[in-house]
Amino acid sequence: MTNASPFPLSYSAEVRDALDTGKPVVALESTIITHGMPWPGNLEMARSVEDIIRQQGAVPATIAVIEGCLHIGLEDEMLVALAKSKDAMKVSRADLAFAVAMGKTGATTVAATMIAAANAGIDVFATGGIGGVHHGAENDFDISADLGELACTPVIVVSAGAKAILDIPKTLEVLETKGVPVVTFGAAELPAFWSRQSGLESPLRLDSAEEIARFQKTREAMKIGGGMLIANPVPEAEEIPRAEMQTHIHAALETAKSRGITGKAVTPFLLAEIFSITQGRSLSTNIALVKNNARLAADIAVALALPTLSMSCLD
Ligand code: PSU
Ligand code: MN
């Protein structure tokens, strides 16, 4: 169904109904499906993440551009086609309007999904890990557009932290410079995607979905624009410990360097390389952490839909 949008835009029936009736909605990105995970694990992940969001009382809105139309919520056939496709574009802020204008099919990154979600009035978004500052960024300037998007677009992004293939201390510094709150859920230490530990203290910590909702509502009330990053540690039973991951990440980074991989190809290459080094274990952990993030994102969306408690100063 296309409404009176000034560009090609379509909502799934489920999402349209939820937005019209004020039900909680959680946005989901699609680059993780096309460029982040291999077939058929990617489809299994996409479907089960949607189901988890429904079980928690919210509605999932997977976002992608299909033949030039921005879809907020994908029907199952679209999800299958996207998961199978080998030539979908990786669409970030720079390419979103290009894909729409030129009739392309593309999967949205964290940055592009945030833009689409904010346009649609969706406040919460679940992913695996955000993009950030790559190792060696002091030479090649490879810093994900996800960071700039968090600074200006008012969406709560629930992740397992920045992907551990990144330079996490530099990623945190950039987020701090841009004024993006980084909140770890239920722990003092920032997680590192596949691992619960990063060796870094989290700038902020909150322990419930209600507190996260209250924090974001207060930011809005105070007219502090932009989004926030929630870092949700992967469940212990499914993590790959940090010491082990560091060895694999180091090996993958060396291979990327020796093959001269650059630009948009870096993140997908490293994820695929780590998948093969760990013989698929990294994928199981990746799926587990996305599911865990979907659950928390749905809880936050439900909490945001509740009336705000009024707060006043004590005399
Ligand atoms: N999280 C995952 N797998 C992924 C990504 C995130 O678990 O594939 C994607 C996201 O879409 C993120 C993108 O926005 O990688 C970052 O790419 P880059 O570093 O090129 O900005
Ligand atoms: Mn990049």
Side-chain angles (χ1 to χ4, degrees), residues 90-254:
K90 176 176 163 185
V91 174
S92 193
R93 166 174 272 266
D95 334 270
L96 183 58
F98 176 91
V100 170
M102 299 301 138
K104 305 280 186 203
T105 291
T108 50
T109 63
V110 169
T113 306
M114 287 180 76
I115 296 170
N119 266 305
I122 302 172
D123 306 319
V124 189
F125 160 27
T127 182
I130 62 155
V133 182
H134 284 265
H135 289 287
E138 60 275 28
N139 299 314
D140 64 14
F141 282 60
D142 190 349
I143 302 176
S144 177
D146 293 352
L147 301 184
E149 209 56 56
L150 277 161
C152 64
T153 303
V155 174
I156 300 174
V157 179
V158 183
S159 69
K163 275 187 292 267
I165 51 174
L166 299 166
D167 187 322
I168 300 182
K170 286 198 181 72
T171 301
L172 269 188
E173 287 296 340
V174 171
L175 288 168
E176 189 190 47
T177 302
K178 290 181 180 291
V180 177
V182 177
V183 179
T184 297
F185 183 69
E189 182 172 351
L190 190 78
F193 200 66
W194 297 282
S195 318
R196 291 175 59 85
Q197 257 114 45
S198 65
L200 300 165
E201 194 186 335
S202 177
L204 299 169
R205 166 188 178 156
L206 289 174
D207 295 285
S208 72
E210 292 71 24
E211 286 175 334
I212 293 169
R214 189 213 277 204
F215 181 23
Q216 181 66 354
K217 281 185 175 177
T218 306
R219 296 182 74 233
E220 279 164 19
M222 296 179 78
K223 303 206 168 15
I224 302 169
M228 69 161 93
L229 180 65
I230 307 299
N232 186 24
V234 63
E236 217 167 315
E238 289 163 302
E239 78 158 340
I240 306 179
R242 178 163 177 250
E244 183 185 343
M245 269 328 290
Q246 278 179 324
T247 317
H248 304 324
I249 291 166
H250 184 76
L253 287 168
E254 286 299 312

Side-chain angles (χ1 to χ4, degrees), residues 30 33-35 37-44 46-47 76-88 105:
S30 43
I33 302 173
T34 54
H35 293 72
M37 293 183 187
W39 167 269
N42 59 350
L43 179 64
E44 185 217 305
R47 280 181 173 155
D76 194 62
E77 322 84 74
M78 294 177 177
L79 207 59
V80 175
L82 204 62
K84 278 187 181 162
S85 93
K86 294 201 164 55
D87 52 8
T105 291

